[in-house]
Amino acid sequence: MYDVITIGSATLDAFIETDAANIVSVCSTDTRKDFMAYPYGAKIEIDNFDFETGGGGINTAINFAHLDMKTSTIIKLGDDEQSEKIKNVLKKADVDLSNIKRSKKYQTGFSIILTSFQGDRTVLAHRGANAQLELDDIDFHSIKHSKWLYLAPLNGNSTKVLNNVADFAEKNDVNLAINVGTSSIKQGKENLQDVLKTAEVIILNKDEASMLTGIEVRPDTKHEKYSEEVIHPDIKIMLRELNYEKSKITIITDGKNGAYAYDGIKYYQCGQFPAKVVSTLGAGDAFSSTFVASLEKTKWNIEKSLMYASVTAASVVEHFSAQSGFLSFDEIEERLSQNPDFKVWIQKEINNIT
Protein backbone atom coordinates (compact mmCIF):
# COMPACT_ATOMS: atom_id res chain seq x y z
CA MET A 1 0.00 0.00 0.00
CA TYR A 2 1.20 3.49 -0.87
CA ASP A 3 0.67 6.73 0.99
CA VAL A 4 0.58 8.59 -2.32
CA ILE A 5 0.90 7.99 -6.05
CA THR A 6 1.69 10.88 -8.36
CA ILE A 7 0.76 11.11 -12.02
CA GLY A 8 2.46 13.72 -14.16
CA SER A 9 5.41 14.67 -16.31
CA ALA A 10 9.09 13.77 -16.11
CA THR A 11 11.75 15.73 -17.95
CA LEU A 12 15.44 16.36 -18.29
CA ASP A 13 15.88 20.10 -17.78
CA ALA A 14 18.62 22.36 -19.07
CA PHE A 15 18.87 25.45 -16.85
CA ILE A 16 20.20 28.59 -18.55
CA GLU A 17 21.02 31.62 -16.42
CA THR A 18 21.98 35.00 -17.85
CA ASP A 19 21.63 38.57 -16.64
CA ALA A 20 21.11 39.67 -20.27
CA ALA A 21 17.39 38.93 -20.03
CA ASN A 22 15.18 42.03 -20.01
CA ILE A 23 11.80 42.07 -18.29
CA VAL A 24 9.24 43.93 -20.39
CA SER A 25 5.84 44.78 -18.91
CA VAL A 26 2.80 45.48 -21.08
CA CYS A 27 -0.14 47.09 -19.29
CA SER A 28 -3.71 48.05 -20.18
CA THR A 29 -6.50 49.42 -18.04
CA ASP A 30 -7.36 46.00 -16.64
CA THR A 31 -4.42 43.67 -17.33
CA ARG A 32 -0.65 43.47 -17.04
CA LYS A 33 1.67 40.90 -18.64
CA ASP A 34 5.43 40.49 -18.22
CA PHE A 35 7.72 39.16 -20.95
CA MET A 36 11.31 37.93 -20.89
CA ALA A 37 13.16 39.56 -23.80
CA TYR A 38 16.57 39.24 -25.43
CA PRO A 39 18.15 41.42 -28.15
CA TYR A 40 16.97 40.05 -31.50
CA GLY A 41 19.76 38.42 -33.54
CA ALA A 42 22.34 38.80 -30.75
CA LYS A 43 24.68 36.21 -29.27
CA ILE A 44 23.94 36.06 -25.53
CA GLU A 45 26.56 35.14 -22.96
CA ILE A 46 25.45 32.49 -20.44
CA ASP A 47 26.39 33.08 -16.80
CA ASN A 48 25.53 29.58 -15.59
CA PHE A 49 23.96 26.35 -16.82
CA ASP A 50 23.13 22.93 -15.43
CA PHE A 51 21.19 19.75 -16.24
CA GLU A 52 18.65 18.40 -13.76
CA THR A 53 15.61 16.15 -13.76
CA GLY A 54 12.23 17.82 -13.41
CA GLY A 55 8.54 17.68 -14.20
CA GLY A 56 5.53 17.79 -11.88
CA GLY A 57 5.22 14.01 -11.61
CA ILE A 58 8.70 13.44 -10.23
CA ASN A 59 9.23 16.76 -8.43
CA THR A 60 6.23 16.00 -6.24
CA ALA A 61 7.05 12.30 -5.87
CA ILE A 62 10.54 13.06 -4.58
CA ASN A 63 9.19 15.63 -2.12
CA PHE A 64 6.50 13.23 -0.87
CA ALA A 65 9.18 10.58 -0.31
CA HIS A 66 11.36 13.16 1.45
CA LEU A 67 8.42 13.77 3.81
CA ASP A 68 8.41 10.07 4.73
CA MET A 69 5.43 9.09 2.61
CA LYS A 70 5.59 5.74 0.81
CA THR A 71 5.49 6.99 -2.77
CA SER A 72 5.14 5.71 -6.31
CA THR A 73 4.85 7.67 -9.55
CA ILE A 74 3.09 7.02 -12.83
CA ILE A 75 5.13 8.67 -15.58
CA LYS A 76 5.97 7.84 -19.18
CA LEU A 77 9.55 8.00 -20.43
CA GLY A 78 11.27 7.34 -23.72
CA ASP A 79 13.57 4.41 -24.34
CA ASP A 80 16.68 6.57 -24.17
CA GLU A 81 19.62 7.69 -22.04
CA GLN A 82 17.64 10.51 -20.43
CA SER A 83 15.11 8.04 -19.03
CA GLU A 84 17.83 6.13 -17.18
CA LYS A 85 19.01 9.31 -15.45
CA ILE A 86 15.45 10.05 -14.31
CA LYS A 87 14.98 6.52 -12.99
CA ASN A 88 18.26 6.70 -11.08
CA VAL A 89 17.23 9.98 -9.43
CA LEU A 90 13.89 8.50 -8.38
CA LYS A 91 15.51 5.33 -7.07
CA LYS A 92 17.96 7.35 -5.00
CA ALA A 93 15.02 9.28 -3.52
CA ASP A 94 13.34 5.99 -2.52
CA VAL A 95 10.41 6.43 -4.94
CA ASP A 96 8.89 3.17 -6.16
CA LEU A 97 9.64 2.61 -9.88
CA SER A 98 7.14 -0.14 -10.68
CA ASN A 99 4.58 2.22 -12.26
CA ILE A 100 6.98 3.84 -14.74
CA LYS A 101 6.16 3.20 -18.41
CA ARG A 102 8.48 3.38 -21.43
CA SER A 103 7.77 4.40 -25.02
CA LYS A 104 9.82 3.26 -28.00
CA LYS A 105 8.14 5.84 -30.23
CA TYR A 106 8.54 9.04 -28.21
CA GLN A 107 11.55 10.60 -26.49
CA THR A 108 11.75 11.45 -22.82
CA GLY A 109 10.50 14.98 -22.18
CA PHE A 110 13.05 17.79 -22.34
CA SER A 111 12.95 21.44 -21.25
CA ILE A 112 15.15 24.51 -21.61
CA ILE A 113 14.63 26.83 -18.63
CA LEU A 114 15.60 30.49 -19.04
CA THR A 115 16.11 32.22 -15.68
CA SER A 116 16.06 35.99 -15.25
CA PHE A 117 17.98 38.19 -12.81
CA GLN A 118 14.76 38.38 -10.76
CA GLY A 119 14.66 34.62 -10.31
CA ASP A 120 11.58 34.07 -12.47
CA ARG A 121 11.80 31.78 -15.46
CA THR A 122 10.47 30.99 -18.92
CA VAL A 123 10.31 27.33 -19.93
CA LEU A 124 10.70 25.96 -23.46
CA ALA A 125 9.22 22.48 -23.24
CA HIS A 126 9.34 19.44 -25.52
CA ARG A 127 6.64 17.15 -24.11
CA GLY A 128 7.73 13.91 -25.76
CA ALA A 129 6.43 10.79 -23.98
CA ASN A 130 4.84 12.96 -21.29
CA ALA A 131 2.04 13.81 -23.71
CA GLN A 132 1.29 10.16 -24.53
CA LEU A 133 0.16 8.62 -21.23
CA GLU A 134 -2.78 6.26 -21.83
CA LEU A 135 -5.21 4.39 -19.60
CA ASP A 136 -3.41 1.13 -20.38
CA ASP A 137 -0.28 2.65 -18.82
CA ILE A 138 -1.98 3.09 -15.45
CA ASP A 139 -2.04 0.39 -12.79
CA PHE A 140 -5.44 1.03 -11.20
CA HIS A 141 -4.79 -1.70 -8.64
CA SER A 142 -1.94 0.39 -7.22
CA ILE A 143 -4.16 3.46 -7.07
CA LYS A 144 -6.88 1.49 -5.28
CA HIS A 145 -4.41 0.66 -2.51
CA SER A 146 -3.10 4.21 -2.05
CA LYS A 147 -4.29 6.82 0.46
CA TRP A 148 -3.75 9.71 -1.94
CA LEU A 149 -3.60 10.22 -5.68
CA TYR A 150 -1.83 13.41 -6.72
CA LEU A 151 -2.42 14.62 -10.30
CA ALA A 152 0.28 17.00 -11.50
CA PRO A 153 -0.40 19.01 -14.69
CA LEU A 154 -0.76 16.79 -17.76
CA ASN A 155 -0.55 17.78 -21.41
CA GLY A 156 -1.36 16.53 -24.88
CA ASN A 157 -3.14 13.18 -25.13
CA SER A 158 -2.32 12.49 -21.47
CA THR A 159 -5.11 14.82 -20.36
CA LYS A 160 -7.63 12.25 -21.66
CA VAL A 161 -6.98 9.99 -18.65
CA LEU A 162 -8.07 12.59 -16.09
CA ASN A 163 -11.78 11.83 -15.85
CA ASN A 164 -11.32 8.05 -15.69
CA VAL A 165 -8.64 8.30 -13.04
CA ALA A 166 -10.65 10.77 -10.95
CA ASP A 167 -13.77 8.62 -11.19
CA PHE A 168 -11.82 5.54 -10.09
CA ALA A 169 -10.34 7.38 -7.11
CA GLU A 170 -13.79 8.59 -6.07
CA LYS A 171 -15.34 5.12 -6.26
CA ASN A 172 -12.50 3.57 -4.28
CA ASP A 173 -12.27 6.21 -1.53
CA VAL A 174 -8.82 7.41 -2.57
CA ASN A 175 -8.19 11.06 -1.68
CA LEU A 176 -7.57 13.07 -4.84
CA ALA A 177 -5.45 16.21 -5.16
CA ILE A 178 -5.06 17.94 -8.50
CA ASN A 179 -2.74 20.71 -9.58
CA VAL A 180 -4.66 21.98 -12.58
CA GLY A 181 -2.41 22.74 -15.54
CA THR A 182 -2.79 25.19 -18.41
CA SER A 183 -3.01 22.44 -21.05
CA SER A 184 -6.06 20.91 -19.37
CA ILE A 185 -7.72 24.29 -18.89
CA LYS A 186 -7.28 25.18 -22.59
CA GLN A 187 -9.32 22.12 -23.54
CA GLY A 188 -12.33 23.70 -21.87
CA LYS A 189 -13.80 23.94 -18.39
CA GLU A 190 -16.40 21.27 -19.19
CA ASN A 191 -13.63 18.67 -19.62
CA LEU A 192 -12.47 19.30 -16.05
CA GLN A 193 -15.84 19.38 -14.32
CA ASP A 194 -15.84 15.76 -13.15
CA VAL A 195 -12.27 15.96 -11.88
CA LEU A 196 -12.85 19.21 -9.99
CA LYS A 197 -16.06 17.93 -8.43
CA THR A 198 -14.43 14.79 -7.03
CA ALA A 199 -11.10 16.23 -5.86
CA GLU A 200 -10.49 16.76 -2.15
CA VAL A 201 -7.84 19.38 -2.95
CA ILE A 202 -7.67 21.68 -6.00
CA ILE A 203 -4.53 23.76 -6.48
CA LEU A 204 -3.80 26.22 -9.29
CA ASN A 205 -2.05 29.54 -9.72
CA LYS A 206 -3.79 32.87 -10.17
CA ASP A 207 -3.40 32.96 -13.95
CA GLU A 208 -4.79 29.44 -14.28
CA ALA A 209 -7.69 30.29 -11.97
CA SER A 210 -8.47 33.30 -14.15
CA MET A 211 -8.40 31.16 -17.30
CA LEU A 212 -10.63 28.51 -15.75
CA THR A 213 -13.24 30.88 -14.30
CA GLY A 214 -13.08 33.68 -16.86
CA ILE A 215 -12.59 36.16 -14.02
CA GLU A 216 -9.92 38.86 -14.38
CA VAL A 217 -8.31 40.24 -11.23
CA ARG A 218 -8.88 43.98 -11.47
CA PRO A 219 -5.94 46.33 -10.75
CA ASP A 220 -6.21 49.34 -8.46
CA THR A 221 -7.81 52.47 -9.83
CA LYS A 222 -8.01 55.98 -8.43
CA HIS A 223 -11.43 55.07 -7.05
CA GLU A 224 -10.90 51.46 -5.90
CA LYS A 225 -7.87 50.21 -3.93
CA TYR A 226 -8.24 46.45 -4.19
CA SER A 227 -4.65 45.98 -3.01
CA GLU A 228 -5.69 47.13 0.45
CA GLU A 229 -7.78 43.96 0.82
CA VAL A 230 -6.06 40.93 2.36
CA ILE A 231 -7.64 38.83 -0.40
CA HIS A 232 -8.67 40.59 -3.59
CA PRO A 233 -12.49 40.36 -3.99
CA ASP A 234 -12.06 38.83 -7.46
CA ILE A 235 -9.87 36.07 -6.01
CA LYS A 236 -12.57 35.36 -3.43
CA ILE A 237 -15.05 34.95 -6.27
CA MET A 238 -12.65 32.55 -8.01
CA LEU A 239 -12.24 30.52 -4.84
CA ARG A 240 -15.98 30.24 -4.35
CA GLU A 241 -16.62 29.31 -7.97
CA LEU A 242 -13.97 26.58 -7.88
CA ASN A 243 -15.15 25.18 -4.56
CA TYR A 244 -17.47 22.49 -5.85
CA GLU A 245 -19.88 20.61 -3.61
CA LYS A 246 -17.50 17.74 -2.90
CA SER A 247 -14.30 19.75 -2.96
CA LYS A 248 -12.92 20.21 0.51
CA ILE A 249 -10.14 22.72 -0.18
CA THR A 250 -9.41 25.08 -3.07
CA ILE A 251 -6.06 26.88 -3.23
CA ILE A 252 -4.88 29.68 -5.52
CA THR A 253 -1.16 30.48 -5.42
CA ASP A 254 -0.03 34.00 -6.24
CA GLY A 255 3.76 34.12 -6.37
CA LYS A 256 5.28 36.71 -4.03
CA ASN A 257 1.81 37.38 -2.58
CA GLY A 258 1.64 33.87 -1.16
CA ALA A 259 -1.43 31.65 -1.42
CA TYR A 260 -5.16 31.81 -0.76
CA ALA A 261 -7.42 28.95 0.30
CA TYR A 262 -11.12 28.35 0.80
CA ASP A 263 -12.87 25.37 2.38
CA GLY A 264 -16.48 26.47 1.89
CA ILE A 265 -16.52 28.02 5.37
CA LYS A 266 -13.33 30.04 5.80
CA TYR A 267 -10.90 31.99 3.64
CA TYR A 268 -7.18 31.67 4.34
CA GLN A 269 -4.29 33.86 3.22
CA CYS A 270 -0.72 32.70 3.75
CA GLY A 271 2.06 35.08 2.79
CA GLN A 272 5.34 34.17 1.19
CA PHE A 273 7.80 32.79 3.72
CA PRO A 274 11.06 34.83 3.77
CA ALA A 275 13.51 33.64 1.10
CA LYS A 276 16.34 34.85 -1.11
CA VAL A 277 15.01 33.92 -4.54
CA VAL A 278 17.40 32.22 -6.94
CA SER A 279 14.85 30.49 -9.17
CA THR A 280 11.09 30.05 -8.85
CA LEU A 281 11.11 26.79 -10.83
CA GLY A 282 9.52 23.98 -8.83
CA ALA A 283 8.04 26.26 -6.16
CA GLY A 284 4.50 25.28 -7.14
CA ASP A 285 5.28 21.56 -7.03
CA ALA A 286 6.99 21.96 -3.65
CA PHE A 287 4.09 23.96 -2.24
CA SER A 288 1.38 21.61 -3.51
CA SER A 289 3.00 18.34 -2.47
CA THR A 290 3.99 19.67 0.95
CA PHE A 291 0.45 20.91 1.50
CA VAL A 292 -1.04 17.49 0.74
CA ALA A 293 1.54 15.66 2.86
CA SER A 294 0.89 18.11 5.70
CA LEU A 295 -2.86 17.57 5.51
CA GLU A 296 -2.23 13.88 6.04
CA LYS A 297 0.20 14.51 8.90
CA THR A 298 -1.91 17.14 10.70
CA LYS A 299 -5.28 15.43 10.16
CA TRP A 300 -6.52 18.15 7.78
CA ASN A 301 -5.28 21.24 9.59
CA ILE A 302 -5.43 23.73 6.71
CA GLU A 303 -3.71 26.56 8.58
CA LYS A 304 -0.65 24.48 9.51
CA SER A 305 -0.53 22.85 6.10
CA LEU A 306 -0.40 26.23 4.35
CA MET A 307 2.44 27.33 6.60
CA TYR A 308 4.41 24.11 6.05
CA ALA A 309 3.90 24.37 2.28
CA SER A 310 5.09 27.99 2.24
CA VAL A 311 8.26 27.13 4.15
CA THR A 312 9.20 24.35 1.72
CA ALA A 313 8.43 26.51 -1.33
CA ALA A 314 10.64 29.26 0.11
CA SER A 315 13.46 26.77 0.61
CA VAL A 316 13.19 25.50 -2.97
CA VAL A 317 13.34 28.97 -4.57
CA GLU A 318 16.64 29.56 -2.81
CA HIS A 319 18.18 26.87 -5.05
CA PHE A 320 18.74 26.58 -8.78
CA SER A 321 17.13 23.15 -9.07
CA ALA A 322 13.43 22.30 -8.58
CA GLN A 323 14.37 19.31 -6.39
CA SER A 324 16.88 21.04 -4.15
CA GLY A 325 15.76 22.60 -0.91
CA PHE A 326 13.22 19.96 0.14
CA LEU A 327 12.81 19.87 3.92
CA SER A 328 11.72 17.31 6.49
CA PHE A 329 8.85 18.15 8.83
CA ASP A 330 11.36 18.69 11.64
CA GLU A 331 13.28 21.17 9.49
CA ILE A 332 10.05 22.96 8.57
CA GLU A 333 9.11 23.27 12.24
CA GLU A 334 12.57 24.61 13.05
CA ARG A 335 12.26 27.36 10.43
CA LEU A 336 8.81 28.29 11.68
CA SER A 337 10.11 28.52 15.24
CA GLN A 338 12.70 31.02 13.99
CA ASN A 339 9.93 33.12 12.40
CA PRO A 340 7.20 33.29 15.08
CA ASP A 341 5.46 36.23 13.38
CA PHE A 342 4.69 34.16 10.26
CA LYS A 343 0.95 33.51 10.49
CA VAL A 344 -2.06 32.65 8.34
CA TRP A 345 -4.89 35.19 8.04
CA ILE A 346 -8.32 33.56 8.38
CA GLN A 347 -11.77 34.99 7.71
CA LYS A 348 -15.05 33.17 8.11
CA GLU A 349 -17.54 33.36 5.26
CA ILE A 350 -20.67 35.37 6.14
CA ASN A 351 -23.77 34.29 4.21
CA ASN A 352 -21.59 33.64 1.16
CA ILE A 353 -20.99 37.38 0.86
CA THR A 354 -17.65 39.03 1.57
Side-chain angles (χ1 to χ4, degrees):
M1 180 175 181
Y2 301 106
D3 292 317
V4 62
I5 294 177
T6 71
I7 301 180
S9 61
T11 62
L12 183 64
D13 296 333
F15 289 82
I16 309 296
E17 185 177 23
T18 173
D19 287 341
N22 297 294
I23 309 301
V24 179
S25 297
V26 178
C27 301
S28 66
T29 56
D30 57 357
T31 61
R32 167 179 169 155
K33 292 186 179 297
D34 295 326
F35 297 85
M36 188 180 294
Y38 298 90
Y40 184 71
K43 181 179 289 186
I44 307 298
E45 294 292 330
I46 294 174
D47 300 314
N48 193 16
F49 74 95
D50 196 9
F51 290 94
E52 300 286 349
T53 57
I58 62 174
N59 287 344
T60 54
I62 291 173
N63 190 35
F64 279 126
H66 195 82
L67 292 167
D68 293 326
M69 298 186 78
K70 187 177 181 181
T71 307
S72 186
T73 185
I74 299 174
I75 56 175
K76 197 164 189 176
L77 307 174
D79 189 14
D80 47 34
E81 184 178 349
Q82 293 94 317
S83 68
E84 291 303 315
K85 181 172 183 178
I86 289 173
K87 288 179 68 175
N88 288 336
V89 169
L90 288 168
K91 185 177 181 180
K92 185 177 180 180
D94 200 26
V95 175
D96 173 74
L97 308 182
S98 63
N99 285 301
I100 294 177
K101 299 299 177 181
R102 303 283 283 270
S103 170
K104 292 186 178 296
K105 184 177 180 180
Y106 299 97
Q107 294 178 312
T108 298
F110 181 81
S111 296
I112 298 174
I113 298 162
L114 306 173
T115 305
S116 78
F117 62 89
Q118 293 179 331
D120 285 326
R121 77 286 185 274
T122 295
V123 181
L124 308 178
H126 173 65
R127 304 300 185 182
N130 289 317
Q132 304 302 326
L133 187 69
E134 300 175 351
L135 287 176
D136 289 344
D137 296 322
I138 297 173
D139 183 355
F140 284 91
H141 180 77
S142 293
I143 294 175
K144 184 176 181 179
H145 293 90
S146 179
K147 294 179 182 177
W148 280 90
L149 177 64
Y150 179 95
L151 295 176
L154 296 171
N155 49 75
N157 290 330
S158 298
T159 60
K160 296 177 182 179
V161 309
L162 284 174
N163 286 333
N164 294 83
V165 169
D167 183 62
F168 183 85
E170 175 75 3
K171 290 178 178 177
N172 289 275
D173 296 323
V174 178
N175 290 321
L176 175 64
I178 179 169
N179 185 351
V180 184
T182 303
S183 296
S184 297
I185 295 172
K186 286 181 178 178
Q187 293 186 10
K189 184 177 180 180
E190 62 279 359
N191 291 324
L192 282 170
Q193 293 283 9
D194 291 342
V195 181
L196 298 178
K197 287 179 180 178
T198 57
E200 275 69 33
V201 179
I202 299 169
I203 304 174
L204 65 176
N205 65 38
K206 186 176 71 173
D207 290 338
E208 292 163 345
S210 181
M211 288 176 60
L212 189 56
T213 61
I215 299 168
E216 292 284 348
V217 178
R218 293 164 291 177
D220 283 351
T221 68
K222 59 184 177 182
H223 302 295
E224 299 283 351
K225 298 296 183 183
Y226 301 113
S227 61
E228 295 178 357
E229 301 284 340
V230 176
I231 302 180
H232 193 293
D234 293 333
I235 291 178
K236 285 186 176 182
I237 296 172
M238 289 180 187
L239 288 167
R240 289 199 299 270
E241 185 166 324
L242 292 170
N243 192 263
Y244 290 84
E245 181 181 354
K246 293 184 180 180
S247 293
K248 295 178 176 63
I249 305 166
T250 303
I251 297 175
I252 295 175
T253 59
D254 189 17
K256 64 182 180 181
N257 295 317
Y260 319 102
Y262 180 61
D263 62 1
I265 300 174
K266 297 176 182 177
Y267 295 98
Y268 303 78
Q269 192 277 334
C270 185
Q272 186 182 55
F273 194 77
K276 183 179 180 181
V277 179
V278 174
S279 171
T280 59
L281 186 76
D285 291 332
F287 182 96
S288 301
S289 51
T290 303
F291 180 83
V292 171
S294 300
L295 277 184
E296 184 69 19
K297 178 179 176 63
T298 65
K299 295 180 172 56
W300 292 77
N301 186 314
I302 298 173
E303 180 181 0
K304 280 189 176 181
S305 297
L306 285 170
M307 294 173 70
Y308 288 0
S310 296
V311 172
T312 298
S315 178
V316 167
V317 301
E318 292 183 328
H319 298 79
F320 204 47
S321 166
Q323 294 165 19
S324 299
F326 290 153
L327 303 171
S328 67
F329 281 118
D330 286 343
E331 290 170 327
I332 293 172
E333 288 282 8
E334 175 62 24
R335 295 199 180 193
L336 284 172
S337 70
Q338 295 171 2
N339 292 269
D341 294 332
F342 185 72
K343 303 292 183 182
V344 174
W345 176 89
I346 303 174
Q347 180 188 53
K348 189 173 182 179
E349 178 77 285
I350 303 175
N351 296 325
N352 273 340
I353 299 174
T354 57

